């Protein structure tokens, strides 16, 4: 559709990125106007390949996809967690190859869209924040033209998942994350505090299988790898809904029940807290009074389970015609 709220989506596709992309496409009031890909679950080029193929599967080959940064700001990208997302990022399912990325890189695509949709563009980032940091460095005025940035990343009170302190998206490129939090735009952080508590069950995955359409069947197949990994973490065949939950918060479909607006700093030192998101939640004992100059919304709880909404959105998606 067009005429909705314009969204630039930055991702490292990835299985939960796949869910997030499809969830975003299902939202009637939002219009995906561009995708930038970054290294994380797979390298940026493979993430773009996956994204293009998934967009074609969902009947949206018109969405521009840009390859972004291969390496992190201060470290080379080496390899992704194949035991979680498969070697190719989509559970080692072979997708039909469709389309090519645009010539500009992800940072330039984001900057161009911020001019085209000045003041209205929503940025949703569900991978390492390297592309966003590069864009901010390239154009320091970028932050003033973007309505809001919503990220899947960080852990304010919960433990990390890359290390005891760091969530993976932040921990892979802490310098980039620090630059994104320090830029002048409002940032909504949907981190492990909340995403670990919203899951898709295997019974729900089976409903995708039962739908029998190529889109839903392929998705169920992709999810099989992810469920296998999470079985070892959660002790049950379910998966957490990290990236799609960030999309749902950005679109207003998932409404936080506790989300103080505070100041967040990212630890960029080399010690054990590298990549930690240090959220100033000292107001918690006084009902989180307003903090002057704060513009980081830290989502801590969403009372309504997101899994059923996610499934409903996936079942309603129409395959490519
Ligand atoms: Ca991701």
């Amino acid at each position: 559709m067009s005429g909705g709220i314009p969204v630039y989506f930055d991702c490292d596709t990835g299985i939960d990125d796949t869910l997030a992309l499809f969830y975003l496409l299902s939202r009637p009031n939002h219009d995906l106007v561009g995708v930038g890909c970054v290294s994380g679950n797979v390298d940026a080029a493979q993430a773009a390949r996956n994204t293009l193929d998934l967009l074609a599967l969902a009947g949206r080959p018109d969405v521009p996809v840009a390859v972004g940064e291969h390496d992190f700001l201060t470290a080379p990208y080496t390899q992704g967690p194949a035991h979680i997302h498969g070697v190719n990022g989509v559970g080692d399912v072979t997708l039909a190859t469709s389309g090519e990325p645009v010539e500009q890189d992800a940072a330039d695509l984001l900057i161009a869209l911020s001019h085209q949709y000045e003041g209205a563009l929503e940025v949703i980032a569900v991978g390492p924040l390297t592309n966003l940091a590069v864009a901010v460095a390239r154009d320091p005025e970028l932050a003033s033209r973007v309505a809001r940035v919503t990220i899947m990343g960080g852990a304010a009170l919960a433990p990390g998942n890359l290390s005891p302190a760091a969530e993976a998206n932040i921990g892979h490129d802490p310098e980039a994350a620090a630059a994104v939090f320090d830029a002048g735009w409002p940032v909504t952080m949907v981190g492990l505090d909340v995403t670990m508590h919203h899951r898709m069950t295997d019974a729900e995955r089976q409903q995708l299988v039962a739908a029998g359409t190529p889109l839903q069947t392929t998705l169920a197949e992709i999810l099989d790898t992810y469920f296998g990994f999470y079985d070892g973490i959660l002790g049950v065949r379910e998966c957490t809904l990290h990236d799609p939950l960030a999309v749902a918060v950005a679109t207003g479909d998932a409404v936080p029940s506790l989300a103080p607006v505070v100041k967040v700093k990212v630890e960029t030192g080399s010690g054990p807290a590298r990549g930690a998101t240090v959220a100033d939640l000292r107001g918690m004992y006084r009902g989180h009074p307003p903090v002057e100059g704060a513009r980081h919304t830290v989502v801590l709880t969403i009372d309504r389970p997101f899994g059923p909404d996610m499934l409903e959105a996936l079942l309603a998606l129409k395959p490519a015609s």
Side-chain angles (χ1 to χ4, degrees):
M1 70 156 282
S2 62
I5 297 166
V7 176
Y8 165 88
F9 183 62
D10 202 277
C11 52
D12 59 333
T13 320
I15 296 178
D16 58 327
D17 305 76
T18 301
L19 292 174
L21 180 70
F22 284 166
Y23 185 79
L24 180 53
L25 292 175
S26 78
R27 300 297 85 197
N29 299 325
H30 289 76
D31 188 13
L32 179 60
V33 295
V35 181
C37 295
V38 68
S39 294
N41 294 327
V42 287
D43 73 23
Q46 180 65 39
R49 180 73 271 143
N50 294 342
T51 305
L52 284 159
D53 298 348
L54 291 164
L55 283 168
L57 185 64
R60 290 300 306 276
D62 55 299
V63 177
V65 175
V67 179
E69 299 300 307
H70 177 81
D71 291 321
F72 304 124
L73 292 186
T74 63
Y77 175 75
T78 51
Q79 61 177 22
H83 61 295
I84 304 175
H85 296 273
V87 173
N88 74 350
V90 285
D92 293 327
V93 171
T94 302
L95 300 171
T97 300
S98 180
E100 292 299 327
V102 295
E103 293 214 342
Q104 61 196 152
D105 70 5
D108 275 352
L109 176 63
L110 169 55
I111 290 167
L113 291 170
S114 75
H115 284 288
Q116 192 176 343
Y117 301 99
E118 184 163 352
L121 186 68
E122 291 273 338
V123 171
I124 305 175
V126 299
L129 295 169
T130 322
N131 289 340
L132 270 60
V134 168
V136 166
R138 209 174 276 176
D139 179 357
E141 300 299 314
L142 169 66
S144 68
R145 295 191 302 273
V146 165
R148 182 173 60 146
V149 176
T150 303
I151 67 162
M152 188 283 132
L157 300 172
N161 58 0
L162 184 70
S163 76
E167 179 280 328
N169 286 340
I170 306 294
H172 283 308
D173 196 343
E175 283 76 12
V180 168
F181 276 102
D182 289 348
W185 45 27
V187 177
T188 297
M189 175 176 132
V190 182
L192 298 177
D193 303 284
V194 62
T195 64
M196 286 301 290
H197 301 290
H198 293 265
R199 300 176 186 175
M200 176 182 280
T201 64
D202 201 46
E204 288 168 332
R205 193 186 72 87
Q206 291 300 335
Q207 289 190 49
L208 292 172
V209 178
T213 61
L215 177 76
Q216 280 82 8
T217 307
T218 304
L219 189 54
E221 208 181 327
I222 291 171
L223 281 166
D224 197 41
T225 297
Y226 207 47
F227 274 65
F229 167 74
Y230 270 107
D231 200 354
I233 301 286
L234 304 171
V236 57
R237 269 186 71 79
E238 297 183 350
C239 78
T240 55
L241 296 170
H242 301 296
D243 291 358
L245 189 59
V247 174
V249 169
T251 58
D253 292 290
V255 180
S257 40
L258 182 60
V261 183
V262 297
K263 296 179 181 176
V264 177
K265 286 289 185 187
V266 178
E267 173 59 51
T268 55
S270 59
R274 179 169 170 78
T277 44
V278 182
D280 186 353
L281 296 171
R282 287 175 290 180
M284 67 187 291
Y285 307 107
R286 292 173 287 127
H288 294 291
V291 176
E292 198 181 338
R295 51 187 165 65
H296 302 144
T297 302
V298 178
V299 178
L300 293 173
T301 55
I302 292 168
D303 288 345
R304 181 184 147 102
F306 175 58
D309 290 356
M310 177 82 234
L311 179 69
E312 188 184 324
L314 294 175
L315 287 173
L317 267 181
K318 296 284 182 289
S321 54

